[in-house]
Structures are given as C-alpha cells and as structure tokens.
C-alpha cells in the first residue's frame, strides 16, 4: 500500500509522538487479527512502513500489510531492485561554486554532539558510509530543484549531503553549508 505522507506527520511512534503517527493510522485501518489457536500465526497481518520519511518530509511512503510483504519489499530496496527519488529545493548561496547538472555526495554521516546532552546526525569522519546522487531539474538564480536518489538511508541524509556540497535546503534551520549543524541558531528553533 502507498500513502501520501504530509509534512509534520511522524512515521513511527516515539516519546513525543504516540497517537498521531503513520503507524497508529495503519493500526487503526488494519488492526492485527485475533489469533485464537495455540499454534503460532505463520504470517500475522501487521501493517507497517517499509521505509521512513522524516517528520518534516512529505511524499510517498511504501507500507506493507504483512510481515512477509514487508520483508520482501525491504529486501527489494536493500538489493536495489527498486529505487526511491526525492525532490529537494536547494539554495544557491551568493558567490558559491557553480551547481553541477549532476553530482554525487559521499560524505560519511554519524552522530555528533550538538549541545551538551544532545547529539545529532552530521557529516563526520566516524560516520557510516553514505551516498546521494542528485540531478538538477530546474535552476534559478538563488535556488534549484534537484532530484535526489539515496542508495543509503541515513537520518537527514539529503539535508546533510546537499549542505555538505555547498547547497543547503531552502528554509532548513539546522544544516548550513558544510553539512554540520549551524551554531548560530537557538536550540529551541531546531
């Protein structure tokens, strides 16, 4: 099943979000069936997302109605049998290098300390391998629309990689040029 996830709706439950999530929505639409046998249920129907989209990201979210379907779809994504593409609006800072028509970014992404007691994903040498491929679809003087494919799926990967390449997402309050969290903003704006 495919959902059109709006921006602002979390996919998975967390301490901050429990009821208003895609997962809660799926459980409401497709409640797990009651299993009255003493034998294990070989393929319980548990609707769940196959991949994640950040809370601030809108777009197509692939979900599966059973564990077996989810495993098959997850394997297809992992083995590159299907691909996900995203559209991003990137800024072109004044005086920046020219934005290539096609480019790849492979900076490792991992957790870094942002402020005391808070870590956040960013470009770092101890991070996991990460790869993003981008193609400019439309170019303006101050911004461009790029189509991005991320064979790896790290948290905030598109935001981080576009910023690391010198072209942060328009309106992104957290990642500036370089792909690391900006230090010039107040913590409560994140």
């Amino acid at each position: 099943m495919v959902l059109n996830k709006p921006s602002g709706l979390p996919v998975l439950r967390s301490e901050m979000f429990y009821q208003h999530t895609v997962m809660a929505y799926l459980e409401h639409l497709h409640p797990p069936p009651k299993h009255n046998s003493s034998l294990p249920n070989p393929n319980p129907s548990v609707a769940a997302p196959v991949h994640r989209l950040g809370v601030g990201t809108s777009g197509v979210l692939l979900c599966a109605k059973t564990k077996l379907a989810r495993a098959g779809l997850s394997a297809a994504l992992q083995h590159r049998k299907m691909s996900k593409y995203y559209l991003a609006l990137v800024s072109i800072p004044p005086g920046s290098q020219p934005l290539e028509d096609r480019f790849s970014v492979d900076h490792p992404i991992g957790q870094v300390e942002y402020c005391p007691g808070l870590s956040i994903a960013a470009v770092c040498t101890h991070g996991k391998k990460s790869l993003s491929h981008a193609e400019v679809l439309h170019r303006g003087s101050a911004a461009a629309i790029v189509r991005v494919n991320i064979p790896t799926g790290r948290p905030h990967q598109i935001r981080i990689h576009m910023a690391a390449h010198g072209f942060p997402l328009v309106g992104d309050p957290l990642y500036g040029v370089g792909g690391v969290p900006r230090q010039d903003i107040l913590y409560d704006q994140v």
Side-chain angles (χ1 to χ4, degrees):
M1 122 181 65
V2 177
L3 302 178
N4 182 14
K5 186 191 96 58
S7 175
L9 179 65
V11 172
L12 301 176
R13 290 186 168 111
S14 68
E15 290 178 9
M16 293 176 51
F17 304 102
Y18 191 76
Q19 287 298 337
H20 300 289
T21 65
V22 170
M23 196 66 203
Y25 175 71
L26 290 172
E27 287 173 358
H28 176 73
L29 287 178
H30 302 281
K34 304 253 187 284
H35 186 64
N36 295 325
S37 169
S38 60
L39 299 173
N41 188 349
N43 188 24
S45 178
V46 179
V50 175
H51 61 95
R52 297 168 294 148
L53 289 177
V55 68
T57 303
S58 63
V60 173
L61 182 67
L62 185 60
C63 301
K65 292 183 181 180
T66 66
K67 286 184 178 181
L68 184 62
R70 186 172 189 268
L73 291 168
S74 293
L77 277 172
Q78 184 178 10
H79 293 49
R80 314 287 188 263
K81 302 273 188 220
M82 64 178 155
S83 301
K84 299 182 293 183
Y85 291 89
Y86 301 84
L87 295 179
L89 182 62
V90 298
S91 61
I92 302 175
S96 65
Q97 65 186 7
L99 178 60
E100 307 100 310
D101 291 337
R102 292 176 186 223
F103 59 94
S104 295
V105 184
D106 63 357
H107 298 291
I109 296 174
Q111 294 293 310
V112 298
E113 186 172 347
Y114 181 56
C115 63
L118 176 65
S119 64
I120 193 162
V123 168
C124 62
T125 56
H126 65 274
K128 293 181 179 179
K129 290 182 180 180
S130 306
L131 180 62
S132 299
H133 302 292
E135 176 183 8
V136 175
L137 299 179
H138 178 76
R139 184 186 311 267
S141 59
I145 298 172
V146 295
R147 181 174 61 185
V148 185
N149 173 257
I150 53 172
T152 54
R154 310 291 176 229
H156 301 195
Q157 181 172 329
I158 294 172
R159 295 169 70 184
I160 293 168
H161 273 176
M162 295 304 103
H165 198 62
F167 304 95
L169 299 189
V170 170
D172 190 342
L174 184 56
Y175 296 100
V177 173
V180 295
R182 294 176 36 195
Q183 298 296 319
D184 61 337
I185 59 173
L186 300 174
Y187 298 126
D188 63 356
Q189 290 179 320
V190 177

